[in-house]
Amino acid sequence: MTDTKPKTLAKKIENLWYHDKYIILAILAALIMVGFALAQSLSKKTPDISVYHISQVGLTASSQDNFRESMKLIAKDYNGDGTVNIDFKEEVYIPEMINSSPNELSSSDKFNLELAMGDCVIYIMDESFYRGNKQYMCDLEDVLGYLPDMAYDDRAFLLSALPAYKTVPGLRDFDPNSYLCLRQKRVGMKDSVYDAHVDFFKRLVEFVEFDG
């Protein structure tokens, strides 16, 4: 005889699990991944300042952390989210391989892409990249209102010439012959974002040392 007795909830769940357990597991895995991505997105803060560094010699992880923490103390909460966040991007290249990566973007390609479309406004770079991209950097007198004696030329400072270079943790770990520049405003960039970088650039150039 066919059992016409109504199935209990536990029995229904047992049958569902038996027939569709792989589908259920797949759905659960997808939900976990979506939840994780959403949590990361919500916890990620919008940077107040974005810095791009390209050089043959990269900073250690410790030096990068020191640099971010030091720059937080010089910068301000420009976007008003309650915290100061520094976005630091670094590209380390080998001279003879700078344009020889057939299967991936070369260092030169990444730099040009960032320059054309990226969010970074503060640039720290070596001589070869500065020479090749000087025309995209701001005139210092237009930004600062004057041309400091310590300026390398009308568009850059050598890091080692800054008063802060010898006193600020992280900053002094860069190659002393690195060039510090402020790029010209990219088309489409918000005025408030660019103005924040201009203010930070001024503060960094004129900064001497932390109190105490």
Side-chain angles (χ1 to χ4, degrees):
M1 286 181 65
T2 303
D3 186 5
T4 58
K5 184 179 178 179
K7 294 181 179 179
T8 64
L9 178 60
K11 190 65 176 178
K12 289 180 180 178
I13 294 175
E14 182 182 342
N15 286 340
L16 180 64
W17 177 254
Y18 178 78
H19 293 290
D20 300 313
K21 60 183 174 183
Y22 294 111
I23 295 176
I24 295 172
L25 288 173
I27 293 173
L28 287 174
L31 289 174
I32 291 171
M33 291 177 65
V34 170
F36 182 73
L38 182 60
Q40 280 195 319
S41 176
L42 292 175
S43 63
K44 187 176 182 180
K45 297 287 187 178
T46 301
D48 292 281
I49 297 298
S50 296
V51 180
Y52 191 91
H53 176 226
I54 185 163
S55 173
Q56 295 180 45
V57 181
L59 299 185
T60 65
S62 176
S63 292
Q64 290 187 30
D65 289 340
N66 288 338
F67 175 73
R68 289 189 187 92
E69 292 304 313
S70 295
M71 295 306 103
K72 285 180 182 180
L73 298 175
I74 296 174
K76 298 189 294 186
D77 178 17
Y78 293 108
N79 59 25
D81 65 357
T83 60
V84 178
N85 294 283
I86 307 296
D87 178 32
F88 179 73
K89 299 178 182 177
E90 182 175 71
E91 179 69 23
V92 178
Y93 70 91
I94 300 173
E96 58 269 22
M97 297 177 63
I98 191 169
N99 291 308
S100 59
S101 304
N103 298 319
E104 61 181 47
L105 290 176
S106 66
S107 295
S108 182
D109 291 333
K110 292 176 184 177
F111 177 87
N112 291 333
L113 189 62
E114 176 62 40
L115 194 63
M117 303 176 63
D119 296 323
C120 292
V121 180
I122 308 294
Y123 281 75
I124 300 174
M125 49 192 164
D126 62 14
E127 184 175 9
S128 62
F129 275 90
Y130 174 63
R131 296 291 183 194
N133 297 278
K134 178 179 176 180
Q135 68 271 28
Y136 302 113
M137 304 301 150
C138 286
D139 185 290
L140 295 178
E141 193 164 1
D142 290 343
V143 174
L144 302 173
Y146 68 104
L147 185 63
D149 292 337
M150 63 180 173
Y152 174 78
D153 60 16
D154 61 335
R155 293 176 187 263
F157 293 94
L158 281 179
L159 274 186
S160 56
L162 298 182
Y165 181 74
K166 294 181 179 180
T167 64
V168 174
L171 188 63
R172 57 177 176 246
D173 294 333
F174 287 87
D175 185 320
N177 294 315
S178 299
Y179 292 76
L180 173 70
C181 306
L182 181 80
R183 68 148 293 154
Q184 296 170 10
K185 185 173 181 289
R186 176 174 55 78
V187 174
M189 179 172 283
K190 292 181 179 179
D191 289 341
S192 59
V193 172
Y194 191 76
D195 291 345
H197 284 83
V198 171
D199 180 76
F200 171 76
F201 185 79
K202 293 177 181 177
R203 293 164 71 92
L204 177 58
V205 167
E206 297 171 354
F207 190 84
V208 178
E209 62 182 340
F210 296 116
D211 294 336

